[in-house]
């Protein structure tokens, strides 16, 4: 089966829904008989969707986060080791040609924090087989990466209940 041609998609922006959109695409792909790989960068916590994804035939999911949230503290060596492990595994997965859809969730975050270089990300893009769909999510996708992509969705936050300070992450909705 498989795809005749795979493209590069990016889901970026400050709005909610980037990972959710990528997971929706993964489920659609599996429903069509495609094999899906999901590598989650910087995420260590097993969000509610993880247990479901791990039990879907046709989906392989791996987490590369090592040390909790990196948004409110300096990046450390353990964080770098997780990103390095994720990058190595991503290249192995792409070069294997085993998967029809490869999703790199929060991949732009280590890039924006200087944990990945433009050269390393370009190596990932070049390793993409012709028939593999590559999906990259995360805030702050740089212009050069957007220029390399075939489809880019910018999730814009118009209004978010977090801004009130009265609502925190809710299980089944945000986590």
């Amino acid at each position: 089966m498989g795809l005749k041609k795979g493209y590069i998609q990016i889901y970026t922006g400050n709005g909610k829904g980037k990972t959710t959109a990528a997971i929706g695409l993964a489920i659609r792909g599996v429903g069509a008989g495609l094999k899906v790989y999901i590598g989650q960068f910087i995420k260590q916590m097993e969000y509610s969707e993880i247990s479901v994804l791990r039990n879907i035939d046709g989906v392989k999911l791996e987490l590369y986060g090592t040390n909790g949230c990196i948004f409110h503290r300096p990046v450390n060596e353990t964080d770098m080791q997780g990103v390095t492990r994720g990058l190595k595994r991503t290249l192995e997965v792409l070069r294997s040609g085993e998967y029809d859809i490869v999703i790199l969730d929060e991949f732009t975050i280590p890039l924006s924090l200087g944990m990945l270089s433009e050269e390393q990300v370009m190596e990932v893009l070049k390793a993409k087989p012709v028939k593999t769909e590559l999906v990259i999510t995360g805030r702050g996708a740089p212009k050069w990466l957007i220029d390399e992509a075939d489809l880019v969705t910018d999730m814009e936050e118009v209004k978010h209940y977090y801004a009130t300070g009265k609502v925190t992450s809710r299980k089944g909705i945000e986590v």
Side-chain angles (χ1 to χ4, degrees):
M1 175 144 209
L3 299 170
K4 291 180 182 177
K5 168 97 172 92
Y7 295 94
I8 298 171
Q9 297 189 27
I10 298 175
Y11 304 149
T12 193
N14 290 329
K16 185 174 170 341
K18 296 173 288 295
T19 298
T20 304
I23 290 170
L25 180 66
I27 292 169
R28 178 178 285 159
V30 170
L34 303 177
K35 286 186 71 177
V36 177
Y37 174 84
I38 303 172
Q40 290 195 320
F41 285 76
I42 76 160
K43 290 182 177 174
Q44 177 185 27
M45 186 174 122
E46 295 231 353
Y47 290 86
S48 298
E49 68 269 15
I50 300 300
S51 61
V52 172
L53 289 169
R54 287 195 196 278
N55 289 303
I56 297 175
D57 286 339
V59 174
K60 171 74 173 174
L61 183 133
E62 295 177 324
L63 303 176
Y64 302 123
T66 57
N67 207 13
C69 182
I70 61 175
F71 291 116
H72 306 294
R73 63 171 176 75
V75 171
N76 62 39
E77 184 58 34
T78 306
D79 299 321
M80 285 299 299
Q81 290 170 358
V83 170
T84 300
R85 189 176 77 252
L87 177 64
K88 180 181 178 199
R89 182 70 178 124
T90 294
L91 290 168
E92 290 170 357
V93 163
L94 286 168
R95 289 175 179 148
S96 77
E98 181 181 348
Y99 296 93
D100 302 294
I101 300 172
V102 173
I103 296 170
L104 304 178
D105 187 40
E106 303 292 5
F107 192 61
T108 63
I109 302 304
L111 177 61
S112 68
L113 293 173
M115 300 168 76
L116 287 173
S117 68
E118 180 176 341
E119 292 77 24
Q120 289 171 309
V121 174
M122 288 303 293
E123 183 180 4
V124 167
L125 300 183
K126 289 176 182 163
K128 182 191 89 59
V130 170
K131 295 182 177 184
T132 299
E133 195 83 5
L134 178 61
V135 180
I136 295 171
T137 75
R139 296 170 186 256
K143 183 178 181 334
W144 63 263
L145 182 56
I146 287 170
D147 290 344
E148 292 291 327
D150 300 294
L151 181 154
V152 178
T153 298
D154 188 351
M155 308 279 193
E156 178 186 355
E157 181 180 314
V158 176
K159 183 177 183 179
H160 200 306
Y161 40 71
Y162 281 2
T164 68
K166 297 177 185 175
V167 179
T168 59
S169 296
R170 298 172 294 151
K171 188 169 183 158
I173 305 298
E174 285 84 27
V175 295

